[in-house]
């Protein structure tokens, strides 16, 4: 097997499992592995496609947590944010942006881990939820990573595990569909990308199911800690990957 294809398949499987457990981590895990063999312009649509497939595969196990009242502000904010993220691609250095997000996660996640287990931020209402969705949309349009900010926000809100997962799942599906559509309209999905899509989908399917089955066995507090630890690792990955690109 070609070494590049092997890296693609390993990255898809590892990322599929991580997303199955957490609901959002596909792009961050996959890109950290694919960066060794795949051009960033090809890896971006691959990551968004893989994340979308992983979300759809896991949907039958998490749809019961779906809450339209909590989802709508996030999705509306996200839909507004995606075009801003796409436009920012022309003005913002994506590597610097990822580095800044990574530093934020490295500072913020340890604070969240130190908070009491029952801590919940009740202020801001739907406007605050929409703002979190807007930030996720910008990140999705700019770098294909719409999940971290809403994941942090829903954890801070103190929502129960199933509601948090169901809302995040629906939010990320919406963001990935919009982002893939933007890539397609801009000509960012090439024939080579379509070939990679055909390899990625089957490679991630079973790991994603195994991940979501593990998610269903986790206690609420364990799930919260897992999300924050994954985000912390994501921060390390973003910072390290950015430094490597600069070097």
């Amino acid at each position: 097997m070609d070494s590049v294809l092997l890296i693609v398949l390993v990255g898809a499987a590892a990322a599929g499992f991580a997303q199955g457990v957490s609901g959002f981590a596909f792009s961050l895990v996959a890109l950290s592995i694919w960066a060794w063999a795949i051009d960033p312009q090809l890896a971006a649509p691959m990551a968004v496609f893989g994340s979308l497939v992983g979300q759809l595969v896991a949907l039958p196990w998490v749809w019961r947590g779906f809450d339209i009242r909590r989802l709508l502000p996030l999705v509306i904010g996200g839909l507004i944010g995606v075009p801003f993220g796409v436009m920012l691609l022309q003005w913002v250095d994506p590597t610097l942006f990822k580095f800044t997000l990574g530093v934020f996660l490295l500072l913020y996640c340890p604070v969240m881990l130190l908070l009491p287990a029952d801590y919940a931020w009740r202020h801001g209402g739907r406007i605050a939820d929409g703002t979190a969705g807007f930030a996720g949309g910008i990140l999705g349009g700019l770098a294909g990573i719409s999940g971290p900010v809403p994941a942090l926000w829903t954890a801070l809100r103190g929502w129960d595990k199933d509601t948090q997962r169901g809302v995040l799942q629906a939010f990320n599906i919406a963001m990935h569909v919009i982002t893939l559509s933007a890539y397609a309209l801009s000509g960012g999905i090439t024939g080579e990308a379509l070939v990679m899509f055909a390899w990625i989908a089957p490679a991630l399917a079973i790991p994603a199911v195994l991940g979501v089955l593990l998610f269903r066995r986790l206690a609420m507090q364990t799930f919260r800690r897992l999300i924050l630890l994954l985000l912390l690792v994501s921060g390390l990955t973003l910072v390290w990957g950015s430094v490597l690109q600069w070097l």
Side-chain angles (χ1 to χ4, degrees):
M1 181 182 293
D2 181 82
S3 60
V4 172
L5 181 58
L6 180 61
I7 290 172
V8 169
L9 296 178
V10 170
F17 180 78
Q19 180 171 276
V21 177
S22 67
F24 70 91
F26 187 93
S27 291
L28 291 164
V29 173
L31 290 174
S32 68
I33 297 173
W34 293 344
W36 298 101
I38 302 296
D39 184 271
Q41 282 144 355
L42 175 60
M46 286 168 56
V48 177
F49 172 81
S51 185
L52 176 60
V53 172
Q55 301 285 3
L56 294 174
V57 167
L59 194 58
W61 286 273
V62 301
W63 68 268
R64 291 180 180 83
F66 179 81
D67 186 331
I68 188 65
R69 293 174 302 171
R70 290 177 169 173
L71 172 65
L72 274 179
L74 286 166
V75 169
I76 292 171
L79 293 177
I80 296 171
V82 168
F84 280 93
V86 173
M87 286 189 295
L88 282 173
L89 280 171
Q90 304 174 34
W91 306 100
V92 177
D93 179 357
T95 303
L96 178 60
F97 196 86
K98 291 177 183 180
F99 177 82
T100 304
L101 176 62
V103 171
F104 169 75
L105 292 174
L106 291 177
L107 295 174
Y108 189 78
C109 291
V111 174
M112 286 284 290
L113 286 167
L114 293 174
L115 290 174
D118 58 351
Y119 180 83
W121 180 265
R122 308 292 185 189
H123 310 291
R126 294 185 178 183
I127 293 176
D129 293 342
T131 302
F134 179 72
I138 289 177
L139 284 170
L142 180 62
I145 46 177
S146 60
V149 173
L152 277 177
W153 181 249
T154 55
L156 185 62
R157 279 300 204 200
W159 296 352
D160 67 83
K161 182 186 76 167
D162 291 328
T163 299
Q164 184 179 347
R165 180 61 185 271
V167 168
L168 280 176
Q169 200 90 5
F171 172 82
N172 284 322
I173 287 173
M175 294 305 102
H176 296 328
V177 168
I178 293 297
T179 304
L180 272 180
S181 299
Y183 283 148
L185 290 172
S186 65
I189 299 180
T190 63
E192 186 180 5
L194 291 175
V195 171
M196 289 299 182
F197 290 177
W199 285 106
I200 290 168
L204 68 85
I206 293 177
V209 171
L210 294 176
V212 78
L213 292 176
L214 175 59
F215 155 78
R216 296 184 67 187
R217 300 177 64 88
L218 296 175
M220 175 60 195
Q221 183 58 16
T222 304
F223 176 69
R224 180 177 182 273
R225 288 175 178 168
L226 176 64
I227 291 295
L228 292 171
L229 287 172
L230 277 172
L231 288 167
L232 189 62
V233 172
S234 299
L236 286 169
T237 301
L238 288 168
V239 170
W240 177 245
S242 301
V243 170
L244 286 180
Q245 288 186 1
W246 283 328
L247 295 178

